[in-house]
Amino acid sequence: MEPIYLDHAATTPVHPSVIEIMASELANTFGNPSSIHTFGRQAHRKLEDIRQVIAASLGVKTHEIIFNSGGTEGDNTAIIETALSRKEQGMHLITTAIEHPAVLETMKYLESLGFEVTYLPVDKKGNLSVKDVEKALREDTTLVSVMYGNNEIGNLMPIKEIGTLLQTHPAVFHTDAVQAYGSQKILPHDLGIDLLSISAHKINGPKGVGFLFKNDQISLPSFLHGGEQEEKRRAGTENLAGIAGMGKAVELLTDDEKEYRHEKYADFERIILTELDKAQIAYQVNGDPKKKLAHILNVHFSGVSSDLLLMHLDLKGVAISTGSACTAGTVEPSHVLEAMYGKNHSAIKESVRISFGFGNDEKQIQQFTAILIETIKKIKQ
């Protein structure tokens, strides 16, 4: 049997078309986009063409896209620079307890500098209350950072409602949309989003490249200092081959393609849950099935250690995970599940994340489900 990869929420395989265009750029467009000679101008033109493609995908101005190294840099830039540049207006920040580590660890860093951070709770389905956001807002709140879609349970956050709420408040609104951009139609201006972080490797693009959307209406100092690239907003020579690959990945994500993937992944989930029911396997889906990204399925298998289950599946050529890839190799429990259920709930050590993507088909899902059921039964013997 061929290996089955079902950990697309951690990273995605690079699309063949992306590999092709990156190879071409590496071979043929090696000029520095900041150079004024022919080679540099050629690279610069390509850079700006890609910027237009990406801006169009969000319905924003070309100028509002800043190329960078990915989601972590985007989150750090948005949060740290917003906080530091506005500390005279206030030192209170708001986020949620279920954010990606790129946000949570950045908030902890700012706390060490004297900032006060409110970590909003979620309910047992992983949902955030807009009323809690409203209650947390203060005169000295300068930033609200709420992820678009959760990377562990898939829950979609009430971004539009928060954007509407902040229309009458001066706080900057940032969202980490790394996990959601590949499947959701996101229009920042319509949603009231000021800053939005994206990483290419979540959409079948290359690792180490991404972009930050910055609303022209807000100011944001550069996080990196050096050259005057990206209109003085992000120092460092642009990774043109990586950016070209990201641009191609974005081109492939048409509205029709996103809808097709949504329906396909929803079918995959139905297959898995239906077969689990037939096999009388005890399980509970973590998160809110009515408000989530279709490609993520987080399941609690009662009485089955998630670490043991992953080990058995890996030996059989199946890749899933227990949660965020950024905590891989650690023994720390999921902070998302802890926020939902409390620290001692059995789901924390008995849950796995299955995430679908490019290359998966119904045959694979059927094979995976059969292996999963067989493995769970063996563990529980």
Side-chain angles (χ1 to χ4, degrees):
M1 186 191 79
E2 296 245 349
I4 299 174
Y5 183 76
L6 293 171
D7 196 18
H8 294 262
T11 195
T12 59
V14 181
H15 194 283
S17 297
V18 171
I19 295 173
E20 185 180 348
I21 196 166
M22 288 182 67
S24 175
E25 294 303 320
L26 285 167
N28 302 309
T29 316
F30 55 84
N32 188 322
S34 297
S35 298
I36 61 173
H37 49 58
T38 301
F39 296 92
R41 293 198 305 273
Q42 179 189 19
H44 181 75
R45 280 195 300 272
K46 291 204 172 184
L47 198 68
E48 295 312 308
D49 287 345
I50 300 162
R51 202 186 307 273
Q52 286 183 5
V53 169
I54 290 172
S57 76
L58 295 170
V60 301
K61 301 173 189 172
T62 306
H63 169 77
E64 294 177 312
I65 300 300
I66 304 169
F67 294 127
N68 60 24
S69 67
T72 295
E73 184 186 331
D75 289 343
N76 274 255
T77 301
I79 295 168
I80 293 173
E81 293 307 319
T82 295
L84 294 180
S85 66
R86 289 166 172 76
K87 63 182 179 179
E88 296 302 320
Q89 284 81 27
M91 296 183 69
H92 178 237
L93 317 171
I94 297 173
T95 190
T96 78
I98 64 169
E99 295 295 310
H100 188 277
V103 170
L104 293 178
E105 292 302 317
T106 305
M107 290 293 184
K108 288 180 185 177
Y109 166 70
L110 288 170
E111 284 182 303
S112 75
L113 300 183
F115 286 84
E116 181 183 352
V117 181
T118 296
Y119 298 91
L120 298 173
V122 293
D123 63 20
K124 290 188 176 181
K125 285 191 173 182
N127 289 323
L128 172 69
S129 167
V130 180
K131 288 185 179 179
D132 284 348
V133 180
E134 187 173 14
K135 288 177 185 176
L137 281 171
R138 307 186 327 205
E139 286 186 9
D140 61 339
T141 304
T142 57
L143 172 71
V144 176
S145 181
V146 176
M147 67 192 339
Y148 204 102
N150 185 266
N151 55 298
E152 290 194 29
I153 58 172
N155 277 35
L156 289 163
M157 298 293 106
I159 298 300
K160 184 176 182 179
E161 292 83 354
I162 296 171
T164 300
L165 175 66
L166 292 177
Q167 285 179 356
T168 56
H169 193 284
V172 172
F173 185 23
H174 165 252
T175 184
D176 177 331
V178 168
Q179 202 61 240
Y181 177 66
S183 62
Q184 303 294 301
K185 186 172 179 62
I186 302 174
L187 300 172
H189 289 301
D190 291 351
L191 297 170
I193 296 168
D194 298 307
L195 297 162
L196 178 144
S197 314
I198 295 298
S199 192
H201 78 101
K202 304 290 188 179
I203 58 168
N204 306 115
K207 295 173 181 64
V209 64
F211 67 85
L212 177 70
F213 156 76
K214 185 192 78 70
N215 191 321
D216 264 348
Q217 300 304 309
I218 67 163
S219 61
L220 189 74
S222 178
F223 184 58
L224 298 179
H225 301 280
E228 298 185 353
Q229 292 87 356
E230 297 299 292
E231 300 181 19
K232 301 182 181 181
R233 299 175 300 176
R234 197 273 186 181
T237 301
E238 293 93 346
N239 173 9
L240 181 57
I243 290 168
M246 176 170 62
K248 186 61 179 180
V250 171
E251 280 184 350
L252 295 170
L253 284 174
T254 63
D255 289 344
D256 287 345
E257 177 64 20
K258 287 183 179 182
E259 182 61 30
Y260 168 71
R261 291 187 186 190
H262 180 88
E263 292 175 1
K264 182 168 73 168
Y265 301 154
D267 284 342
F268 290 171
E269 181 174 315
R270 279 192 289 271
I271 289 169
I272 293 170
L273 299 183
T274 298
E275 293 303 314
L276 288 172
D277 288 335
K278 286 180 183 178
Q280 298 184 319
I281 299 293
Y283 73 88
Q284 177 66 45
V285 175
N286 297 315
D288 191 338
K290 296 179 180 178
K291 299 178 184 177
K292 79 175 191 70
L293 300 166
H295 72 285
I296 294 178
L297 174 61
N298 195 301
V299 190
H300 172 204
F301 293 110
S302 181
V304 180
S305 163
S306 54
D307 289 341
L308 187 59
L309 179 56
L310 259 62
M311 181 184 71
H312 278 279
L313 291 175
D314 186 42
L315 290 171
K316 294 178 180 181
V318 175
I320 60 172
S321 73
T322 55
S324 174
C326 295
T327 57
T330 73
V331 293
E332 300 204 1
S334 163
H335 68 283
V336 175
L337 297 181
E338 281 191 347
M340 291 165 60
Y341 301 127
K343 290 190 176 181
N344 298 316
H345 197 281
S346 60
I348 295 167
K349 293 184 178 181
E350 298 175 348
S351 295
V352 295
R353 180 186 67 185
I354 304 158
S355 50
F356 317 115
F358 176 72
N360 294 142
D361 57 28
E362 188 173 324
K363 181 182 177 182
Q364 279 191 340
I365 300 304
Q366 294 283 8
Q367 289 177 328
F368 159 72
T369 308
I371 294 169
L372 176 66
I373 291 169
E374 177 189 3
T375 306
I376 290 173
K377 287 182 175 179
K378 183 178 180 180
I379 291 173
K380 297 188 79 170
Q381 277 180 347

